[in-house]
Amino acid sequence: MDGAPLQGLDGSAFRLLVEQSADIVATMDEQGRILYVNPAVQHMLGYEPEELLGASAFDIVHPQDRDELESLYQALIREPGARVTTQHRMAAKSGEWRMIESRAVNFLDIPTVGAVICNSTDITALALAVEDVRRSEERVRMMLHGFEDIIALYDFDGNCQFFTGAEAYGVQAGDMIGKNIREIFPGKQAERILDQHSRVLKTGKALTVENELTWNGRTLWLLLTTYPVMDSRGGLAAIGAIGRNVTAHKEAEREKQALQEQLNHIQKLDSVGALAGGIAHEFNNMLAVIMGNASLLLETPEAAAAGREELEEIIKAGERARDLSMKLLTFARRDKLDVQNVRVADLISEFAAMLETVFPPNIHIRWIAPDDLYIIADMPQMRQVLLNLCNNARDAMPRGGILAIEAADIHISESEAEPLAGLPQGRYCLVTVRDTGAGIPEPIRNRIFDPFFTTKGVGRGVGLGLSVAHGIVRNHDGRLFVDERPGPGAAVAFCIPASDRLLKPPAADNTARNKHKTVLVVDDEPVLLTLAQRILERGGLHVISACNGEQAIDTFKHLHVSIDLVILDMLLPDMDGAEVYRTMMEIAPGARVLLCSGASKAQACRHLLDAGGPAGFIQKPFTMDSLTMAVQGALAQSPDAR
């Protein structure tokens, strides 16, 4: 097929080269009219060369590409020797649109040429393949959109070639492409990841490592699997990485570990508490023998005359030892001990005097309390509450300051506002511990009563002080709260019911009234049985003894009609004291039983006393006076009233 003659071109070899070319070669004038086109146009677009001669090349350009192409052509012809490459769609004779890549050179100013020479290649197949790849990538991106796992591809230098999953962390994936790992992650973190890349390149095997990373201002843990990416020939082409966010899992692990440590701490405290309770129980039994016999000797004229002062010192020492034992029992459990009527001014003044001896001299102690304000409370636990609050106040003033303990007599009404809303109306004692430190930050104010919450460093506290104080105050029917009234530093206060009257001990009965009355004493310690028997017989009572639960039940079963009172130790070797008590109640429901223990009332028999069945409780160690008073009080009760 012959084409139109090349304008101004000679040489049969050159003509042969052009006419045998697989690409379209055409010449055009300034208006874009075709002056020459080689036979390749027939194979590529289906036109005979003669059909296009004199026609505008833009006539067969896709309408959507025509304006842009004409603008490029006009710019080309204005600059002699200029070149341009463009891709556009052209209409084949069949009506099909083909994707064409054209390269044009402006030779209009060369007399021997005088035209624009254009070389065009059909790239339809390539364009379709590229589009297929683009659509495939788009489908992958759509599938991975919102997927929190990170998928990335890096070259051997750590430059990112592909990245997805960044949107979940507030980063656009496109911003990651082309960046080096050192630009994405800071310092040592980037070097650690690059080291993992090196290990994968060296071994050819995947590597999974947990990495703590800082990315886009966030700290997170990624379970990062790095693996080699092979090409179609099996050669190493790139490094792939899949990262899963395990931050929540790591935080849960840390919380679990912290809870386990707290549990271990609690178990240690429970173990120590159980040991302390056991020691205190045995200690109280020994003290009961010492104090009881000393008090008996004081009632003997000959012995009292020979060594009254010494006997009184023995009893005083026993009382101090008993106080120590009661502190051990307080540590061993969390609920109430024996309550008593407490003058608040005495409690605070004694406690403030103690603080002045143990707190640093730059902590100045101030206190104020009404003279006539009383509460019904467990003294050791009230001291514990004050100690916990004052320790926190001291720690808040490392450079010193004023620690004030203020007590007030207040009345709470039904319409009381927070933080006292909900408390029954009536008289209350309000105690406030105030410091001149930095105060309690607002973000942690609602957490300070949580168990194990602390702002102190490791080894300086376990975060139990305020939670323990909160529990003690609650057990006294009160409330612990942050006092938000204006003032320097921080103030924590507690409010418990005030006492309207003094507690009076039961009146002692005379010896004659006890004649013909029988008491069954149950205890596994022979020396305590002997001591109790001597004290009670001196008071005119007839005493029967039993050294274990089985013997006590058998004796009570046969003699309960003549037994006026049972003194029952709650810790027996063969049976639990509560079980012995319930069995006796089945035998004689109206029987008087005075419970006794070297452990605290709460540990030993609180559940029985709360039910209202027993005639009372006496704490070991007891003296002659305390045992006699407890027995007289129990005997004074009417069986029908219980």
Side-chain angles (χ1 to χ4, degrees):
M1 181 185 299
D2 293 332
L6 283 169
Q7 180 180 349
L9 295 181
D10 295 320
S12 58
F14 183 68
R15 177 181 291 275
L16 182 62
L17 177 64
V18 170
E19 292 187 353
Q20 294 300 317
S21 173
D23 287 349
I24 296 175
V25 179
T27 61
M28 296 176 290
D29 64 12
E30 292 182 351
Q31 284 74 40
R33 290 189 294 266
I34 298 173
L35 305 176
Y36 166 83
V37 62
N38 69 342
V41 73
Q42 196 276 334
H43 300 292
M44 194 178 296
L45 298 176
Y47 298 105
E48 296 296 336
E50 291 81 1
E51 292 181 70
L52 298 178
L53 294 177
S56 172
F58 302 112
D59 290 344
I60 56 174
V61 174
H62 193 285
Q64 292 180 358
D65 301 337
R66 188 175 299 155
D67 289 344
E68 181 181 359
L69 196 60
E70 286 181 342
S71 296
L72 286 172
Y73 193 78
Q74 291 301 316
L76 177 71
I77 64 176
R78 286 196 295 268
E79 186 176 347
R83 299 170 181 268
V84 67
T85 300
T86 182
Q87 293 178 359
H88 52 87
R89 289 165 289 181
M90 296 190 77
K93 192 171 183 178
S94 64
E96 177 186 9
W97 293 103
R98 308 294 293 176
M99 180 60 71
I100 304 297
E101 183 176 85
S102 296
R103 296 163 296 280
V105 183
N106 180 0
F107 290 127
L108 289 169
D109 63 325
I110 299 177
T112 57
V113 180
V116 173
I117 298 179
C118 183
N119 181 273
S120 299
T121 304
D122 187 351
I123 61 168
T124 303
L126 177 61
L128 291 174
V130 170
E131 180 62 18
D132 286 344
V133 171
R134 189 195 66 78
R135 289 178 179 175
S136 177
E137 289 183 350
E138 184 62 26
R139 284 194 295 269
V140 171
R141 293 188 188 278
M142 290 175 61
M143 181 178 67
L144 296 177
H145 182 69
F147 191 50
E148 290 197 6
D149 282 5
I150 292 170
I151 302 176
L153 198 66
Y154 299 94
D155 64 18
F156 300 146
D157 295 323
N159 298 310
C160 183
Q161 298 176 331
F162 175 84
F163 205 98
T164 187
E167 290 81 2
Y169 306 96
V171 180
Q172 295 300 316
D175 296 338
M176 307 299 294
I177 306 300
K179 281 188 176 181
N180 190 273
I181 287 176
R182 291 186 178 90
E183 299 177 78
I184 301 173
F185 300 110
K188 293 182 179 180
Q189 297 180 10
E191 296 305 321
R192 189 164 60 245
I193 296 175
L194 289 171
D195 178 65
Q196 294 163 21
H197 285 200
S198 298
R199 291 162 65 183
V200 169
L201 290 173
K202 184 177 180 180
T203 63
K205 296 180 180 179
L207 177 67
T208 300
V209 179
E210 284 186 346
N211 288 275
E212 186 176 17
L213 302 171
T214 303
W215 189 30
N216 196 30
R218 294 175 57 181
T219 298
L220 64 154
W221 280 89
L222 284 184
L223 183 64
L224 194 62
T225 298
T226 308
Y227 56 94
V229 178
M230 304 299 181
D231 60 22
S232 59
R233 296 186 298 274
L236 190 60
I239 298 173
I242 298 176
R244 169 156 293 184
N245 188 352
V246 293
T247 306
H249 176 69
K250 293 293 290 187
E251 290 176 349
E253 280 188 346
R254 288 176 177 173
E255 183 176 353
K256 180 180 178 181
Q257 182 179 359
L259 289 174
Q260 184 63 48
E261 291 174 356
Q262 293 169 5
L263 177 61
N264 293 341
H265 185 76
I266 291 173
Q267 289 173 340
K268 288 179 183 178
L269 288 178
D270 287 344
S271 297
V272 174
L275 177 63
I279 292 173
H281 171 67
E282 295 301 325
F283 192 48
N284 282 341
N285 281 339
M286 291 184 285
L287 283 175
V289 176
I290 296 170
M291 296 173 65
N293 280 294
S295 61
L296 275 174
L297 285 173
L298 276 176
E299 298 300 317
T300 305
E302 298 80 5
R308 172 173 292 278
E309 290 184 4
E310 288 80 1
L311 290 172
E312 288 177 345
E313 285 300 319
I314 290 173
I315 294 175
K316 288 179 181 178
E319 289 173 346
R320 289 194 295 271
R322 179 185 60 195
D323 290 342
L324 175 61
S325 174
M326 297 311 295
K327 289 179 180 179
L328 287 175
L329 290 173
T330 300
F331 175 75
R333 52 87 187 106
R334 299 268 184 231
D335 41 11
K336 286 185 182 179
L337 278 171
D338 294 325
V339 296
Q340 56 184 293
N341 197 72
V342 179
R343 183 171 177 263
V344 176
D346 293 339
L347 169 66
I348 294 178
S349 64
E350 292 172 5
F351 188 78
M354 184 272 294
L355 290 183
E356 289 177 344
T357 65
V358 297
F359 273 19
N362 60 355
I363 303 292
H364 304 287
I365 311 298
R366 304 284 187 269
W367 70 273
I368 185 171
D371 290 335
D372 58 349
L373 180 58
Y374 290 81
I375 56 175
I376 305 298
D378 177 344
M379 278 285 283
Q381 291 204 357
M382 283 296 100
R383 294 191 188 103
Q384 185 68 55
V385 172
L386 287 172
L387 180 61
N388 292 358
L389 300 187
C390 290
N391 279 341
N392 283 348
R394 174 203 61 198
D395 294 342
M397 299 183 292
R399 298 182 179 179
I402 298 175
L403 192 160
I405 307 173
E406 306 164 357
D409 189 344
I410 66 171
H411 185 274
I412 292 179
S413 63
E414 291 182 349
S415 59
E416 196 72 38
E418 290 291 352
L420 300 178
L423 288 175
Q425 62 178 339
R427 282 184 66 222
Y428 283 82
C429 169
L430 176 65
V431 179
T432 304
V433 176
R434 190 183 302 274
D435 62 64
T436 55
I440 304 173
E442 184 65 34
I444 68 168
R445 187 163 294 183
N446 293 330
R447 300 183 59 197
I448 61 173
F449 298 123
D450 293 347
F452 302 105
F453 175 77
T454 179
T455 58
K456 301 174 184 177
V458 176
R460 295 191 59 208
V462 295
L464 287 172
L466 285 178
S467 62
V468 168
H470 183 270
I472 293 173
V473 172
R474 183 179 56 200
N475 284 345
H476 283 76
D477 300 320
R479 185 166 298 173
L480 181 70
F481 57 93
V482 176
D483 187 347
E484 298 184 0
R485 290 178 296 178
V492 180
F494 65 90
C495 185
I496 62 174
S499 170
D500 290 328
R501 61 184 178 86
L502 295 177
L503 295 181
K504 295 181 180 179
D509 206 348
N510 52 46
T511 302
R513 185 176 178 181
N514 292 336
K515 287 184 178 181
H516 311 300
K517 289 189 177 181
T518 300
V519 178
L520 171 61
V521 181
V522 185
D523 201 299
D524 61 318
E525 293 285 346
V527 289
L528 285 177
L529 283 176
T530 301
L531 174 64
Q533 184 172 351
R534 291 172 61 190
I535 292 174
L536 296 176
E537 286 179 347
R538 182 168 293 190
L541 295 165
H542 174 62
V543 179
I544 306 171
S545 62
C547 62
N548 57 51
E550 183 178 353
Q551 184 182 2
I553 291 173
D554 185 65
T555 301
F556 189 77
K557 184 184 297 182
H558 292 91
L559 301 175
H560 67 87
V561 174
S562 61
I563 292 175
D564 298 283
L565 177 67
V566 178
I567 301 176
L568 175 61
D569 184 34
M570 296 304 292
L571 297 176
L572 298 172
D574 60 335
M575 297 177 68
D576 179 63
E579 183 181 353
V580 176
Y581 170 78
R582 284 189 285 267
T583 303
M584 288 180 173
M585 290 300 100
E586 292 175 359
I587 296 170
R592 301 185 190 92
V593 179
L594 179 64
L595 305 181
C596 179
S597 179
S600 72
K601 179 192 296 185
Q603 285 179 311
C605 52
R606 171 66 67 187
H607 58 294
L608 296 177
L609 293 169
D610 288 344
F617 175 84
I618 182 169
Q619 176 79 54
K620 295 179 184 178
F622 50 75
T623 61
M624 178 177 175
D625 289 342
S626 63
L627 178 60
T628 301
M629 186 178 298
V631 169
Q632 295 299 336
L635 288 173
Q637 295 182 30
S638 170
D640 297 332
R642 288 178 293 108

